Amino acid sequence: MSDLPLIQADRAVPPPAATTSTGGRRRRLRLLSRTDRVVITLMVLVPLLLVTAFVWLPALATVVLSGTDWDGIGPLNEIDFVGARNYSDVVNIYPPFVPAIQHNLLWLAVLFVVATPFGMFLAVLLDKELRGSRFYQTALYLPVVLSLALIGFVWQLLYSRDQGLINAVFGSNVDWYGDSSVNIWAVMIASSWRHVGYIMLLYLAGLKGVDPSLREAAAVDGASESRTFFRVVFPVMRPINIIVLVVTVIESLRAFDLVWVVNKGRNGLELISALVTQNVVGEASRIGFGSALATIMLVVSLVFITIYLATVMRENRE
Amino acid sequence: MSRPRSQAEYLARLVPPSVAGINRRSLLAGAAGTGALLGTGLLAGCGDDSGSGGSSKDVSLGSNQSDPKPKDVLAKVADGFKTSSGVQVAVNTVDHNTFQENINNYLQGKPDDVFTWFAGYRMRFFAQKGLASDISDVWGKISGYSDAFKKASTGDDGKQYFVPASYYPWAVFYRKSVWQQHGYQVPTTLDQFTALGAQMKKDGLTPIAFADKDGWPAMGTFDILNLRINGYQFHVDLMAGKEAWTSDKVKKVFDTWAGLLPLHQPDSLGRTWQEAAQSLQQKKSGMYLLGLFVGQQFSNDEQNDLDFFTFPEIDPSIGAKALDAPIDGYMMARKPKNEDNARKLMEYFGGKAAGDITVKSDPTTLVANTGADVSGYTALQKKAAELVGSATEIAQFLDRDTRPDFASTVMIPAIQQFIKNPKDIDGLTSSIENQKKSIFTD
């Protein structure tokens, strides 16, 4: 969000200034007109204010509120602090918490181990420009434009125990969305259905960007198709791989809409995000307790964010 | 980073296609939800509502009646009010569940002048928090309510905050034609009830239709078993957090339920009540414990084929005279824009005319005002009104008789856990008790 104006500001700088390395700062400032400086200041300040007001302050407030038992009603000065009680309750007496953590990890694992490689595989196939590949490409990409919530509704038509297509066609009696040992997998299929298309598109773009001479060189050297892919093409796509990695992690942490549509994230479909919503949004309004859950989620997200930033920064330094 | 926002917005977007378009109010509520989710909750107060009328000619009504039939009934009642008073009612309909989920932010923001709500703890809670207006003066002008209804409309401070409009008893419903065909008799004891269930199984029927995907329908089963085994007062105390969930009394309720579970439709956690009701309608199930609204899943010709009995007696010393019969009605916001019109509207809602319109339009609910002309009642409605009239005590349903945070975050998962694994009652009840202790602290 705040990157965009900065990039634009950079572009506004005349090329000589940008490339000068010694004493650049002073000269650069002098090269900027008054208007430029006002514009740059605004472009930094406005997003900074927005990010502070809508991201940092609420995040901080969540952490603070996680130490209270506020029910969301009444003035802020009536809030009682209860210390770490919410956290100890979450861990000790809140049954959905442990399954939620497990499901979040499972979600990440499935997207990462199954859906992502499958999307890559499809991309490689489609990259062969087979007959009708445009058609397949469109068909596979179609789910990506749908929201996950809508996907939940669509798959409900297939999964419903009494009236769903799957049970009707196969004469089975499986309670796809209700049986807690099955539903997480059923939902995962629906989620992967979308994720695969997304990954496919990213890799397709990546594959198109690979210099054909590399493949030719590999072919001249007598490398097999798969060897060429894993030893030559895949390493060249490093930037795409990082994007895919990040997208997959984000998708798995964002997982919410689907389970919420199915059964509000209960009975086998617990996810941290759904638990936060159950407690905070709605009549229940256990703001304090929900904030504790949200803070835990924040910490989990921070782990991934840190890893990502560390990787990206190392890249930049290189 | 943008996740909480999309969640709250998503809630607002849950309004199904049946409710045409997303109105501004639900988006506002969603925005307020964002605030709450991000932990500030302050945005609720910032939502500026400039559109919905400030003129003296109209009054706004926030409605959770999003199903087609009740929505239609409410529109007719609003028309009736316009005819009698000349005041236009702007009805803002929001999907039932969304309305409930956003109620806190809704009431703290800029709510409609009058809004649909429920009697019981949920009403008293908002009255006590100062989020609703005292309407004792309206009660001075309306008549036709029994003491039980007035009591159900009274807050902890002894003032009235609620006007009852309709109610519906929970009972065991069945199709007369199916029962005649097999020669079943209405059971009056638990043994007869189980024997009947076993017979139905032999006859190739699912004895008891059952669904709990949405989390609340199974609460009705818990309630009725608790009322039959431990009586009304225990129900009230248990819901108020005064009784221990680990007591033998509660365990006996779950034990009895565990014994009945094999008679229930399997795989209930993936089924909505509508789907379960359809299995009754399609004559695949023999009976269904649900509210009178089960009739919504039956066509008009089939209404006469629908009958019910109250859940049979379990303990002779307690009998079978108590039941769940939740009351729906209206409350007035704390600071209505158009207070005069809002009070007029409340009075109209509590009056005979509104009752008459409801009777004519909806065969699946009962009108709270005894002054209303009930000659249009179907046989089923008459019988339901009789049942409630003869009840010694009327409960409001688990999620209306206790704290909402306890009902939705503890009881729904707990009951679903029980349905999945009916064996571990000790573990289940102690888990509920632990969470209850943490929630019922203030």
Side-chain angles (χ1 to χ4, degrees), chain A residues 280-282, chain B residues 4 8-9 11 27-39 41 43-44 102 105:
Chain A
V280 172
V281 179
Chain B
E9 273 179 10
L11 281 178
L27 277 177
L28 254 187
T34 312
L37 201 67
L38 294 174
L43 287 177
N102 287 321
N105 297 310

Side-chain angles (χ1 to χ4, degrees), chain B residues 281-301:
Chain B
Q281 186 264 337
Q282 292 158 6
K283 307 189 177 184
K284 288 177 190 163
S285 299
M287 41 193 173
Y288 191 15
L289 171 68
L290 202 76
L292 187 61
F293 55 84
V294 70
Q296 288 170 13
Q297 295 297 317
F298 289 73
S299 71
N300 284 340
D301 330 336

Side-chain angles (χ1 to χ4, degrees), chain A residues 1 51 54-55 57-59 61-62 65 69-74 76 85-86 89 93-96 149 153 156 160-163 173-175 177-180 253-257 260-264 266-268 270 273-274 276-287 289 291 294 297 301, chain B residues 1-3 5-8 10-11 14 33 36-43 97 100-105 108 117-118 122 125-126 129 131 213-215 265-272 274-276 278-279 282 399 403-406 408-410 412-413 416 420 431 434-436 438-439 441-442:
Chain A
M1 192 174 169
V51 169
F54 293 112
V55 181
L57 283 183
T62 307
L65 282 172
D69 66 352
W70 195 39
D71 62 1
I73 294 178
L76 293 172
R85 197 187 81 196
N86 287 328
D89 282 1
I93 62 169
Y94 192 51
F153 288 125
Q156 183 119 33
S160 167
R161 179 187 182 275
D162 300 337
Q163 298 162 1
N173 249 339
V174 182
D175 188 9
Y177 269 174
D179 184 338
S180 57
L253 279 171
R254 273 175 22 139
F256 166 78
D257 327 38
W260 194 260
V261 167
V262 173
N263 65 4
K264 305 249 155 104
R266 297 179 185 126
N267 177 38
E270 291 88 355
S273 50
V276 173
T277 312
Q278 278 172 21
N279 281 284
V280 172
V281 179
E283 226 185 315
S285 271
R286 295 169 80 186
I287 307 275
F289 189 75
S291 297
M297 195 163 78
S301 311
Chain B
M1 175 164 115
S2 66
R3 176 151 36 122
R5 177 189 297 176
S6 70
Q7 287 177 7
Y10 162 66
L11 281 178
L14 265 182
L37 201 67
L38 294 174
T40 63
L42 294 172
L43 287 177
N97 290 327
Q100 249 151 278
E101 273 156 11
N102 287 321
I103 186 76
N104 281 352
N105 297 310
Q108 290 186 86
W117 201 237
F118 318 108
R122 282 165 150 178
F125 179 76
F126 290 122
K129 294 274 181 189
L131 293 175
K213 184 174 172 186
D214 296 320
Q265 203 172 2
D267 298 336
S268 57
L269 298 181
R271 191 181 294 115
T272 62
Q274 287 94 340
E275 288 171 307
Q278 281 156 26
S279 82
Q282 292 158 6
D399 69 0
R403 297 173 60 117
D405 43 6
F406 177 68
S408 67
T409 65
V410 180
I412 290 179
Q416 291 191 333
K420 251 190 287 180
S431 166
N434 281 337
Q435 295 180 76
K436 183 207 88 177
S438 172
I439 289 177
T441 45
D442 41 52

Side-chain angles (χ1 to χ4, degrees), chain B residues 196-226:
Chain B
L196 174 66
Q199 183 59 40
M200 282 178 171
K201 255 191 170 169
K202 266 189 217 150
D203 296 336
L205 290 168
T206 307
I208 308 170
F210 193 44
D212 198 34
K213 184 174 172 186
D214 296 320
W216 55 266
M219 289 176 171
T221 310
F222 177 85
D223 277 351
I224 200 71
L225 290 171
N226 191 25

Side-chain angles (χ1 to χ4, degrees), chain B residues 31-59:
Chain B
T34 312
L37 201 67
L38 294 174
T40 63
L42 294 172
L43 287 177
C46 309
D48 184 42
D49 194 353
S50 50
S52 66
S55 87
S56 61
K57 276 285 172 215
D58 56 15
V59 61

